């Protein structure tokens, strides 16, 4: 498994694959060939089909700065190494001088065809949760301590920056108002959720409302192109911050210290890394289960660490969270990370809390391991029709465009 710095990435929304990953690929190309004076970028697969909604063309132009070029959307090519594939071509004058094929594999990470040596190095010796849990039990350490033991950098300092960006996104989103760009006329609703106060509201209802408002806040910031943290992706970036902000930041209802929050982020990162290594966190590859499902598992693991649950309980919480997102499709209307994406972050944040509550009582009666669910998620994702993997060609996206819902918005 790679470093958690490859999982948690601070960047600009709305999509880790379509905007951050493509920007990274184009920027790396330019750094390798700073002498070019023109470029052509050809987007394929999901990048082509939902690139406009995800602002992929804007990400390309931003990466190449003042250099003139063109962005093409090829929706006909199907023989691709990954659903998020792009070709980058550099020119001097009218002469092609460099060509590179890249794949944006999720969470902002990029792979270059034929250049495996450029991939981030593996820093963890174990490949799945079963191996990690066995090692932690033998060494009598927690998952957060496991992460610290094998990271090559000062991972706690890095996580402090991650949490600062998460917190800032929540707080910006809670203050913002207006309509999100993209043509769907989606109003920002985080502030309304946060400030709404029903005199008949009980404590449980209040918790749900506030957690949802925090998830909405980050997701709306992401949809508007604000700075967020991939956890594990832009589209699912609201789940983990919402849970942490409620339990450990704004309300400090349990008196958690900042260092305990860092422990929670490290624990969540290990869970996310297991999914990323053994399956996928890309909606284009495995549907929304890979994004929201993984984010829910990460949030459940983080909350389990805050409450100092045992490693088996944390595993069960993460397993429940992912298992009950199996089969979740990725069908964003018009390719925008708005409908159903924003609401899904809120629902997943509440589900993460419920998963931890179950784990606190039922862990030792469980029959399924986290690794089994991860493998099932990957197989399920591969079996999903391409219509339901971030192409905006099926499900909600298709029904919206072909029904009276379009005229009612």
């Amino acid at each position: 498994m790679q470093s958690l710095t490859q999982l948690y990435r601070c960047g600009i929304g709305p999509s880790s694959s379509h905007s951050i990953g493509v920007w990274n690929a184009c920027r790396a190309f330019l750094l390798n060939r700073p002498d070019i004076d023109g470029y052509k970028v050809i987007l394929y697969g999901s990048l082509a089909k939902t690139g406009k909604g995800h602002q992929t063309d804007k990400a390309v132009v931003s990466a190449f700065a003042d250099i003139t070029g063109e962005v093409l959307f090829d929706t006909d090519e199907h023989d691709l190494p990954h659903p998020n594939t792009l070709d980058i071509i550099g020119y001097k004058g009218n002469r092609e001088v460099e060509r590179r094929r890249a794949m944006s594999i999720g969470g902002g990470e990029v792979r270059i065809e034929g250049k495996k040596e450029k991939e981030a190095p593996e820093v963890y010796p174990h490949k799945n949760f079963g191996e990690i849990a066995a090692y932690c039990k033998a060494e009598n350490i927690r998952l957060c301590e496991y992460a610290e033991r094998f990271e090559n950098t000062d991972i706690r300092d890095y996580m402090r920056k991650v949490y600062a960006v998460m917190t800032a996104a929540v707080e910006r989103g809670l203050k913002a108002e207006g309509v999100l760009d993209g043509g769907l006329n989606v109003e920002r609703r985080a502030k309304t959720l946060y400030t709404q106060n029903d005199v008949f509201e009980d404590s449980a209802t209040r918790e749900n409302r506030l957690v949802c408002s925090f998830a909405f806040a980050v997701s709306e910031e992401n949809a508007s192109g604000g700075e967020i943290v991939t956890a594990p992706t832009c589209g699912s970036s609201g789940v983990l911050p919402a849970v942490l902000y409620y339990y450990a930041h704004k309300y400090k209802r349990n008196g958690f210290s900042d260092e305990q929050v860092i422990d929670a982020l490290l624990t969540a990162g290990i869970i996310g890394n297991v999914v990323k290594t053994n399956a996928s966190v890309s909606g284009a590859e495995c549907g929304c289960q890979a994004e929201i499902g993984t984010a829910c598992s990460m949030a459940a693991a983080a909350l389990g660490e805050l409450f100092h649950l045992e490693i088996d309980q944390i595993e069960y919480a993460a397993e429940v969270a992912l298992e009950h997102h199996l089969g979740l499709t990725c069908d964003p209307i018009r390719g925008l990370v708005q409908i159903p994406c924003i609401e899904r972050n809120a629902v997943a944040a509440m589900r993460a809390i419920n998963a931890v509550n179950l784990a606190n009582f039922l862990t030792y009666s469980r029959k399924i391991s986290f690794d089994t669910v991860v493998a099932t998620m990957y197989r399920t994702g591969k079996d999903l029709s391409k219509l339901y993997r971030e192409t905006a060609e099926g499900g909600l996206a298709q029904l919206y465009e072909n029904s009276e819902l379009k005229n009612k918005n």
Side-chain angles (χ1 to χ4, degrees), residues 311-330:
I311 192 168
D312 289 338
Q313 293 175 304
I314 291 174
E315 179 186 4
Y316 183 55
E319 178 259 300
V320 168
L322 182 58
E323 179 186 359
H324 296 288
H325 281 93
L326 289 177
L328 187 62
T329 59
C330 186

Side-chain angles (χ1 to χ4, degrees), residues 9 22 29 41 85 92 105 107 148 154 172 284 314 378 398:
R9 299 170 185 259
V22 169
F29 183 94
V41 172
T85 296
K92 290 187 69 173
I105 64 171
E148 286 188 272
D154 189 340
R172 286 197 314 273
I314 291 174
Y378 190 59
Q398 183 184 45

Side-chain angles (χ1 to χ4, degrees), residues 93-267:
N94 294 320
R95 183 171 61 90
E96 178 182 322
V97 294
E98 184 82 18
R99 179 183 290 257
R100 175 182 295 183
R101 170 159 283 192
M103 289 78 73
S104 182
I105 64 171
E109 185 176 353
V110 175
R111 289 178 184 164
I112 306 301
E113 190 172 69
K115 293 189 177 182
K116 292 184 179 180
E117 71 277 3
K118 297 294 184 180
E119 294 180 10
E122 304 283 327
V123 300
Y124 293 95
H126 306 103
K127 300 300 182 184
N128 57 48
F129 192 86
E131 292 180 6
I132 294 169
Y135 178 85
C136 289
K137 290 176 180 179
E139 295 291 313
N140 194 29
I141 60 174
R142 299 187 67 80
L143 289 170
C144 53
E145 296 171 308
Y146 171 82
E148 286 188 272
R149 181 170 293 189
F150 291 106
E151 288 285 343
N152 295 326
T153 185
D154 189 340
I155 196 63
R156 297 191 76 84
D157 278 350
Y158 185 85
M159 290 299 164
R160 290 185 187 97
K161 296 176 183 176
V162 163
Y163 189 55
V165 173
M166 287 181 171
T167 300
V170 173
E171 295 179 346
R172 286 197 314 273
L174 290 176
K175 297 174 183 176
E177 297 178 283
V179 175
L180 296 171
D181 290 337
L184 292 179
N185 297 319
V186 174
E187 292 186 11
R188 285 178 175 262
R189 293 167 285 176
K191 183 176 180 180
T192 299
L193 273 173
Y194 181 57
T195 58
Q196 184 174 313
N197 188 14
D198 188 335
V199 294
F200 299 107
E201 186 176 57
D202 59 23
S203 60
T205 304
R206 180 174 183 268
E207 175 181 280
N208 288 342
R209 175 175 60 80
L210 290 175
V211 170
C212 286
S213 74
F214 303 150
F216 266 73
V218 178
S219 298
E220 289 169 357
E221 279 296 291
N222 175 65
S224 67
E227 185 181 24
I228 49 78
V229 179
T230 58
T233 65
C234 288
S236 60
S237 60
V239 183
L240 180 55
V243 172
L244 291 178
Y245 195 83
Y246 180 77
Y247 277 93
H249 187 81
K250 182 67 176 178
Y251 293 93
K252 296 188 180 298
R253 49 181 279 169
N254 295 288
F256 295 120
S257 69
D258 288 346
E259 292 309 303
Q260 286 175 296
V261 175
I262 300 307
D263 288 342
L265 282 169
L266 291 170
T267 299

